Amino acid sequence: MTSRTPTSDLDAAAVVARLRTTFATRRTAATDWRRAQLTALRALLTENRDDLLAALAADLGKGPIEADRTEIGFTVNEIDHTLDHLEAWLAPRTAELPEWLLPATAHTVREPLGVVLVIAPWNYPIQLSLVPLIGALAAGNCVVVKPSELAPATSAAMARLLPRYLDDEAVAVVEGAVPETTALLDQRFDHIFYTGNGTVGRIVMTAAARHLTPLTLELGGKSPAVVDTGVDLATAARRLVTGRFMNAGQTCVAPDYVLAIGDSARDIEPHLVEALHELYGADPAGAPEYGRIVNDRHFARLTKLLDSGRTVIGGDHERASRYLAPTVLADVGADAPVMQEEIFGPILPIVPVPDLDAAISFINDRDKPLALYAFTDSDETKQRLRTETSSGALGFGMPVVHLTVPDLPFGGIGESGMGRYHGEYSLDTFSHTKSVLDKPLG
Ligand code: NAD
């Protein structure tokens, strides 16, 4: 079993060298080894559920229902899906050959990459460390996991538990912050999988370039939610607030702002208020499922955004506990502070636009979002959004949930990232698809 890697005076070269030695034995390539790791990871999650929930509560004030759903249960589902399909995904795929080459056969086979690095953020610290790990293990790699220092209790839990359950000569957990991550990034990896903000994404990509290491960048940005006229606003509001305010708004695919067409801008306001009351009651500060802001820096950043529009509900906050009430702002203009960067907190601005053309221009004038959502009954509107905008994902009628479908690739485009994972797409990310051609000599 692996030992916990020291965080101070980290010898990153030694960590990687140890995993390379393991990879060279080829044991991680065996399907049985991969299955055993995934099964052990599943056991880690179910047997230590209470400890993990406590860590998430300590780091982010996450309530148990939400944490079960979005972290532990989510990750268990990904393991089950992977175990169900692993052999099929690993089976060689026959390629059709041009006639002039016959007789011959050809196929593709997925081979492991080697030693890969997973750098995770703090907002879903279990899911975003372990779901990439699932893909990396399923593909037969050795893995260094670097959890976020901003979720210290969860990071410590993973550093304690992963070596106990997994092959510790193949999986290492390195805790730490910038110095440790920098030391890791000096090493040569066979793939780097980074989730977090675009500024650090650029640092990671620069480091990867030095070794010509392929990488996945799972980044963020402002994901708009278009609300059309004439739709069921009560349902739209319920789904919007669920997506926006889970994890106190600290969700990469949360609807960042509402682009409300025509009358829907005013009409949706009472429905958002009602939906928030339904979800968290009259006093969200006392609601067990309402989270807290991760740290003082983010708390200070968010409270500065509260003057960006007319407050429909919320706005109250308490510094000591880093509580910021679920807040809806109306009549927000494109130049408002809240519209300049990803909010990543419990604030939902409503930006009025006159029509669909204006909504599409608004979206296309900005960075390509990780997700675009729309609430509309019009097939024509759906078709126009599908063809005239670009985003990591497009969700009609319900935000966020596309990422729970393991058969759908999850990832961004442009400023929201590059590459994709979940389900078989994770296997693609963490494998090399090798072409094999066999032409008989006779
Ligand atoms: P973070 O601060 O935890 O940083 C992410 C990782 O980068 C951490 O492990 C951290 O140690 C490391 N890091 C930080 N500074 C570094 C540096 N200078 N050099 C090397 N490594 C460094 O997380 P964050 O960036 O605040 O996360 C929030 C962002 O992540 C948001 O923009 C959000 O949208 C995005 N996000 C994206 C996804 C996705 O799946 N696409 C998921 C969650 C979060």
Side-chain angles (χ1 to χ4, degrees), residues 120 122 128 146 148-149 181 195-197 218-220 252 342 410:
W122 50 267
L128 297 173
K146 215 304 282 170
S148 176
E149 70 280 16
T181 318
T195 305
N197 68 74
E218 294 285 342
L219 310 178
C252 58
E342 179 182 4
F410 181 71

Side-chain angles (χ1 to χ4, degrees), residues 222 256-257 305 308 332-343 349 362 366-367:
K222 292 181 91 61
D256 185 273
Y257 61 98
L305 303 177
S308 297
V332 175
D335 297 335
V338 79
M339 291 305 294
Q340 305 316 306
E341 56 173 32
E342 179 182 4
I343 299 169
F362 196 96
R366 287 163 177 76
D367 292 333

Side-chain angles (χ1 to χ4, degrees), residues 177-255:
V178 178
E180 289 75 18
T181 318
T182 307
L184 285 171
L185 287 171
D186 280 341
Q187 309 305 310
R188 183 178 71 77
F189 288 92
D190 298 291
H191 192 93
I192 299 175
F193 190 104
Y194 167 80
T195 305
N197 68 74
T199 306
V200 176
R202 283 167 169 79
I203 295 172
V204 173
M205 194 166 180
T206 304
R210 284 201 294 272
H211 298 288
L212 219 56
T213 297
L215 82 166
T216 305
L217 296 179
E218 294 285 342
L219 310 178
K222 292 181 91 61
S223 295
V226 176
V227 176
D228 204 355
T229 50
V231 299
D232 175 352
L233 288 174
T235 302
R238 252 196 318 274
R239 294 181 183 176
L240 274 168
V241 302
T242 306
R244 166 76 282 185
F245 297 106
M246 64 195 279
N247 201 26
Q250 301 163 113
T251 302
C252 58
V253 284

Side-chain angles (χ1 to χ4, degrees), residues 106-167:
H107 65 272
T108 58
V109 63
R110 285 177 159 138
E111 63 176 31
L113 297 173
V115 179
V116 304
L117 171 63
V118 172
I119 305 176
W122 50 267
N123 60 331
Y124 289 86
I126 292 180
Q127 183 202 135
L128 297 173
S129 304
L130 299 191
V131 173
L133 175 65
I134 292 165
L137 293 172
N141 296 289
C142 294
V143 192
V144 177
V145 180
K146 215 304 282 170
S148 176
E149 70 280 16
L150 299 184
T154 315
S155 174
M158 283 193 286
R160 181 169 54 81
L161 293 171
L162 284 171
R164 263 180 37 204
Y165 281 80
L166 302 184
D167 179 344

